[in-house]
Amino acid sequence: MTDTTMPTTTTPIATPPKGETRASRSGPLPSRAEVIVVGGGVVGTSIAYHLTKAGVSDVLLLERHELTAGTTWHAAGLVAQLRSTENLTRLAQYTLELYQKLEAETGQATGFRAPGAISLAPNEARWEELRRTAAMARYLGVEAHEISPAEIAEKFPLCKTDDLVGGIWLPHDGAVGPSDVTMALAKGARMGGARVAEGVGVDDLIVTDGRCTGVVLDNGERIEADTVVLACGLWTRHLAAKQGVDVPLMAAEHHYVVTEPVKGCESDWPILRDPERWAYLKPEAGGAMLVGLFEPIGRPWPESGPPPIDKPFVTMDPDPDHLAHWLPDAFDRIPKLHETGLRLLFDGPEAFTPDDAYIMGEAPSLPRLFVAAGFNSIGIQSAGGVGMALAHWITEGSPPMDLSDVDIRRFEGFQSTERFLRDRTVETLGLLYAPHWPHRQYETARNLRRSPLHERLADEGACFGSLNGWERPMFFARPELGINAEYEYSWGRQNWHEANAIEHRAVREGVGLFDLTSFAKFLVQGADAAAVLDRMSAGAVAGDVGSSTYTQWLNPQGGIEADLTISRLSEREFHVIGGAGTRSRDLHSIRQAIENHPGGEANATVADVTSAYAVLAVMGPQSRELLQPLTGTDLSNEAFPFATNQWIDLGSARVWANRMSYVGELGWELYVPTEFAVYVFDELRAAGESFGMELCGYNTLNSLRFEKGYRHWGHEVSPDETPIEAGLSFAVAWDKPADFIGRAALEAQREMGASKRLVQVAIDDETALMHHNEPVWRNGEMVGYVTDGMWGHTVGAAVGMAWVDRGEKITAAWVNDAEWHIELPGRMAPARVQLRPLL
């Protein structure tokens, strides 16, 4: 790139857009509204529009400056259909469909066009990733084609293709004018009765009796409401924090350039995504090119403190040196760009979240406050679906589908701290285009939450992964095999495969030790504790003292909201054990159940005791032999049956022992007071020497559970699936006298039968691996997809689970009397599919 193509000053090609009215109060404001939406960008206007479609005409949208003045106005306007999960893809598809018809409905131009998009693969690893993505896209009804370099050149003649392996062509991907589509949504909202007020800043929330009941304006005026929605982009975190609500997001600088017209370039050519060069390239009107970057090391903005609220249409001074570092590679994809001048250098803020998924839903700490923010540079393509889903959530009391991937309740409080967000945002911008490797771990904001055993495990060679800030051992190094305590990512067998085999076989054949301290742990107490939990749970959790029950919490439709174990400690005390990734969500569920118990608030309390206990799981056929000499408690099957719990002495410590297993072998979960954790670990380690006990990580926990068909919430089961569909009918107490949430829906489905089922899948091919989202074919018809998978060292096959959908009642014969295949990149792998576990 020559110096003449990299100016040091910026010349905008357009001034920021203006709304239908200038920034003013537009007349007197009401003293109350049914719903107040704060933020006049594409997301806020979409929410207002969809609320009116849902029958809420008393909607008030407040924008501090002018519509689009936050970050919407400078968006690239891309409208892609494919996202990381099925339901997020459904929302993106809805957005595309909405934008296609919005101009006809409102009379307001949106600038919608559908030039299609091509994602490029210059190497085999990226090609495998893209082919896997395209296969899942086709299952979801998104047209996606694998095309050759020659075909790419036909669709975009100026594209350099001699280094490419292939590409994925999505012919219906589109683009809009971000400001245009926002104005159309605002007009549609007004047509439905909503009021849109510009020049009205919101400085705080009104809280009455623990609920959000309105907003405080920047001039001190108050407007009451039944519901408030914060859709104010990167300003949302600081506004919500005034009332103790955590919304973990932070802005990062997003750079793009707009060129002069490129000789020979047509504006209707497709959008190019070149992730290996961290760039997207979008033809503009007149043959100009917009080239945007998602470079691997982001720059949080501002350098300190909250973003300014007094200035609309915020931009930063572009850094030519920064652009000069990344743009040459991007320009190499279209060599003529090196000969073309630049019309605009742009640097603007975009809000990013710790996991690159946006945030929506009702704040768990403040009822009737909803959030829709943190869109990670995909706000335009997300806005339509988010508006529809949030309007449903507000009016119906629940989302229209499983949205746990973006639910605000997935986060922990520490993830809203300034330090954490600044550290993580450096990484998250680049993750949009980084390879999406199986088992990939975050590299930033690490070593925050550690088990008391962390140093012991590190000394033993643990390679740690991170979940909700917890450092968890994933596998243990084997220097003698050349396996170090670090991931080497690939789509095939990764470097830890043989370490996994050793750990896996130890648990199946001898004994293994897991550190499961990150489990969420709650103590529910009180006279009504049994009644509250029994109403929440599909299983019979209010059994004898000392019993432990594997159960699900359901929604009224019978969908699985939580998957956990509940242990009765006494008549008035229960331990509730859940996953590390759902602690906040599960705690919120218990609190809601206590507050909304039939007949009034229950006489019960819940305490989060997660940090009070370390958890050591001793698992395997020799676990009883190892543990028995360490305790005076009789561990025989007669004295300590499966699904029971007792306090036991272990050496000189007293621990709570729960005889449950997530690996399908004899074993105990030992809940150890934190201060005794290292002592108990050392006792177990010493005792295990004569048994050849192996330390085991979470990768092994997974490979073991897949063979046994043990479900994991968020992977195999979710609020969209029922226990019947998930093969968990055995966990439902059909005959318990207490009613439970979702019972009526389950009984109706039990009568009719399920049209979709979770099945076990195995591929008897040593070159095959299932990771997730591989399509499942039955007799030549695509009927489902793999949820997750690994290599099963005992079964000797690639194993996993999959959802299949028949459209009518699924029977054992339909599963058994068929020819099954799993679609892997470039081939159809014959598969074994069955309803029962593989082992």
Side-chain angles (χ1 to χ4, degrees), residues 533-542 551 733-740 743:
L533 292 174
D534 214 25
R535 183 171 183 272
M536 295 180 73
S537 306
V541 301
T551 190
W734 297 101
D735 58 352
K736 78 174 182 178
D739 195 12
F740 59 88
R743 182 171 192 157

Side-chain angles (χ1 to χ4, degrees), residues 784-813:
Y785 64 94
V786 173
T787 62
D788 215 347
M790 286 182 67
W791 185 260
H793 297 277
T794 306
V795 173
V799 298
M801 284 175 265
W803 280 105
V804 295
D805 193 336
R806 184 184 185 187
E808 58 182 281
K809 183 178 179 179
I810 288 180
T811 63

Side-chain angles (χ1 to χ4, degrees), residues 600-663:
E601 186 168 347
N603 182 359
T605 62
V606 57
D608 180 4
V609 295
T610 299
S611 298
Y613 297 95
V615 183
L616 287 164
V618 182
M619 297 288 157
Q622 294 182 316
S623 57
R624 181 181 285 118
E625 297 172 59
L626 185 153
L627 287 171
Q628 189 62 81
L630 301 179
T631 180
T633 301
D634 184 354
L635 301 181
S636 68
N637 194 58
E638 295 73 23
F640 206 141
F642 179 74
T644 63
N645 65 87
Q646 300 179 37
W647 283 94
I648 69 172
D649 293 344
L650 198 152
S652 297
R654 183 156 294 172
V655 306
W656 179 63
N658 198 24
R659 191 176 156 197
M660 300 293 287
S661 173
Y662 196 47
V663 301

Side-chain angles (χ1 to χ4, degrees), residues 136-386:
M136 187 60 180
R138 291 189 288 269
Y139 172 74
L140 296 175
V142 176
E143 187 176 348
H145 305 278
E146 300 169 17
I147 61 177
S148 68
E151 291 171 300
I152 295 170
E154 288 178 8
K155 297 182 185 300
F156 204 119
L158 298 183
C159 179
K160 171 182 164 64
T161 61
D162 59 2
D163 63 329
L164 296 178
V165 179
I168 301 300
W169 165 236
L170 296 137
H172 300 297
D173 273 17
V176 294
S179 297
D180 295 333
V181 81
T182 303
M183 296 305 173
L185 289 166
K187 186 173 181 180
R190 291 189 186 98
M191 291 166 61
R195 178 165 184 175
V196 178
E198 300 175 278
V200 181
V202 173
D203 275 3
D204 205 348
L205 305 172
I206 303 172
V207 177
T208 306
D209 296 328
R211 301 169 68 84
C212 186
T213 57
V215 299
V216 181
L217 304 185
D218 53 4
N219 65 357
E221 294 179 17
R222 297 160 68 91
I223 304 178
E224 296 181 349
D226 298 326
T227 302
V228 175
V229 183
L230 298 185
C232 36
L234 56 94
W235 293 271
T236 303
R237 176 167 70 101
H238 295 278
L239 178 54
K242 291 184 177 182
Q243 295 298 333
V245 175
D246 292 317
V247 184
L249 58 82
M250 175 163 282
E253 298 182 32
H254 176 45
H255 303 83
Y256 63 73
V257 301
V258 180
T259 72
E260 298 289 349
V262 182
K263 186 176 181 180
C265 182
E266 300 292 336
S267 60
D268 60 352
W269 285 0
I271 299 155
L272 298 180
R273 296 188 178 93
D274 195 355
E276 285 292 312
R277 297 172 187 264
W278 311 94
Y280 60 91
L281 304 99
K282 174 194 172 193
E284 297 277 272
M289 188 71 63
L290 186 154
V291 182
L293 298 171
F294 290 113
E295 62 273 27
I297 301 176
R299 307 205 301 189
W301 180 87
E303 292 185 0
S304 63
I309 63 174
D310 59 341
K311 182 181 178 182
F313 307 109
V314 175
T315 63
M316 291 80 83
D317 292 331
D319 180 351
D321 291 337
H322 183 81
L323 289 171
H325 182 77
W326 298 105
L327 279 179
D329 277 351
F331 279 21
D332 283 349
R333 182 55 61 201
I334 302 175
K336 278 189 176 293
L337 292 177
H338 288 294
E339 306 167 10
T340 306
L342 298 183
R343 187 181 302 180
L344 170 70
L345 301 181
F346 184 83
D347 184 3
E350 294 280 355
F352 286 82
T353 64
D355 58 2
D356 261 350
Y358 52 82
I359 304 171
M360 64 183 297
E362 188 173 19
S365 61
L366 189 56
R368 304 315 300 171
L369 176 70
F370 285 79
V371 172
F375 282 90
N376 307 282
S377 283
I378 60 165
I380 303 298
Q381 73 182 55
S382 304
V386 167

